[in-house]
Amino acid sequence: MPRPTLEFWYEFASTYSYLSAMRIDDAAGRAGVAVVWRPFLLGPILGAQGLSDSPFNLYPVKGRYMWRDMEREAAALRLPFCRPKPFPQNSLLAARVALVGLDRGWTPDFSRAVFAAEFGKGRSIGDPATLAEILASLGENPDAVLAEAGTEANKARLRRAGEEALSRGVFGAPTFFAEDGEMFWGNDRLEQALAWAVERARCSQWPV
Amino acid sequence: MPRPTLEFWYEFASTYSYLSAMRIDDAAGRAGVAVVWRPFLLGPILGAQGLSDSPFNLYPVKGRYMWRDMEREAAALRLPFCRPKPFPQNSLLAARVALVGLDRGWTPDFSRAVFAAEFGKGRSIGDPATLAEILASLGENPDAVLAEAGTEANKARLRRAGEEALSRGVFGAPTFFAEDGEMFWGNDRLEQALAWAVERARCSQWPV
């Protein structure tokens, strides 16, 4: 059976992306699924829907519930949880850096470390020093990586990722895509997304 | 141990309320929890957030995904699923009727039948004939119940339910409340809400 894959589209400022990022590799490993990490920016996607800020800020009653739900969900997953201030954090630089790592294999480790700093410790991920520290801890050269993150080519790559997300119907984060294009939204759907990916790969064994 | 209770706030036009309505009594029964059915209207609540229509209509990209998610969720629960036209359905009369049944014990059966007609068969629940047919099938007198549903006292009761929902932080449906006031939103949180209700009742055994 070919190894199934699942695309994991995540936004560094997104609370529920944190929950998925911290558990997806374990969950996918148990399911025999390979994860394709796809960092992107949710801001332009929300903007295309006419939303000028996080829905959790625009609808404060819903936002208040979200923070309580995150406390419960993080506790159930044994994950530390802090409320970042401000929310949402500026995730532009982190997303650019994460793209640089895709070709070199450190994007999952970098992304987990960014989420852990932001939501586990309440640190500012918009601060280049935070990202530099994380890069150094991964054995990377912070100055070189941050410079590469800021090149026009890399900025354009992030914009293209956003356009791809928009064209594929992404409206929030995290979002998962199976190979047949089936889309699942939200940390609550990770298990179903993995099961779908496995089932579709199983069926593709049959000659067509 | 005192029997724990869980309030189930639901809106007849809400897709995910359908999923919860059809399974909550079984799930609560297994957990040993008593369910308090609380019909209400979501429209005024959304209006208080500045939303003039269902978010699934206001944000069509999200709406498109919701219909696909509902197909999958209904299939997983072995529930038939039709997309009502128009969506959302006018749920005012159904909610008024459901309130009448609260004192007489038929609200759960009536509510399940309304949801099954609407989302299982695609029938119009704004049509009094649909509700009359359901009431007759329950052995009630449709004319008498519909007349009672339209009294000023009953209309005021529904408005009060909406005011209570708003004051307790409800922003969507379904919503569940444990006895200690803990709120859970969405069909995906039903199991956690039941577990919370059980755990809190267990703790209340201790002398204080």
Side-chain angles (χ1 to χ4, degrees), chain A residues 16 49-51 58-59 61-62 64-66 68-69 72-73 76 166 169-171 182-186 188-189 192 196 200, chain B residues 16 49-51 58-59 61-62 64-66 68-69 72-73 76 166 169-171 182-186 188-189 192 196 200:
Chain A
Y16 293 99
Q49 298 174 60
L51 297 167
L58 292 172
Y59 304 110
V61 179
K62 186 171 187 175
R64 199 152 50 235
Y65 172 78
M66 181 277 286
R68 179 62 183 146
D69 188 57
R72 292 189 308 234
E73 295 289 298
L166 198 62
V170 170
F171 59 89
E182 189 75 12
M183 185 173 97
F184 297 83
W185 169 58
D188 291 334
R189 290 286 178 276
Q192 284 151 271
W196 187 283
R200 283 306 174 278
Chain B
Y16 293 100
Q49 298 174 58
L51 297 166
L58 293 172
Y59 304 110
V61 179
K62 186 171 187 173
R64 199 150 51 236
Y65 171 78
M66 181 277 285
R68 179 62 182 146
D69 188 56
R72 292 189 309 235
E73 295 290 299
L166 199 60
V170 170
F171 59 89
E182 189 76 13
M183 185 173 97
F184 297 84
W185 169 58
D188 291 334
R189 290 286 178 278
Q192 283 152 272
W196 188 283
R200 283 307 174 279

Side-chain angles (χ1 to χ4, degrees), chain B residues 42-53 166:
Chain B
L42 193 52
I45 306 262
L46 296 177
Q49 298 174 58
L51 297 166
S52 58
D53 191 358
L166 199 60

Side-chain angles (χ1 to χ4, degrees), chain B residues 62-96:
Chain B
K62 186 171 187 173
R64 199 150 51 236
Y65 171 78
M66 181 277 285
W67 292 112
R68 179 62 182 146
D69 188 56
M70 275 296 300
E71 280 180 0
R72 292 189 309 235
E73 295 290 299
L77 293 169
R78 306 265 193 281
L79 287 173
F81 182 64
C82 300
R83 181 169 169 171
K85 301 208 166 84
F87 175 83
Q89 289 276 296
N90 185 335
S91 55
L92 176 62
L93 186 56
R96 285 179 179 162

Side-chain angles (χ1 to χ4, degrees), chain A residues 71-95:
Chain A
E71 280 181 0
R72 292 189 308 234
E73 295 289 298
L77 293 169
R78 307 266 193 279
L79 287 172
F81 182 63
C82 300
R83 182 169 170 171
K85 300 212 167 84
F87 175 82
Q89 289 276 295
N90 184 334
S91 54
L92 177 62
L93 185 56

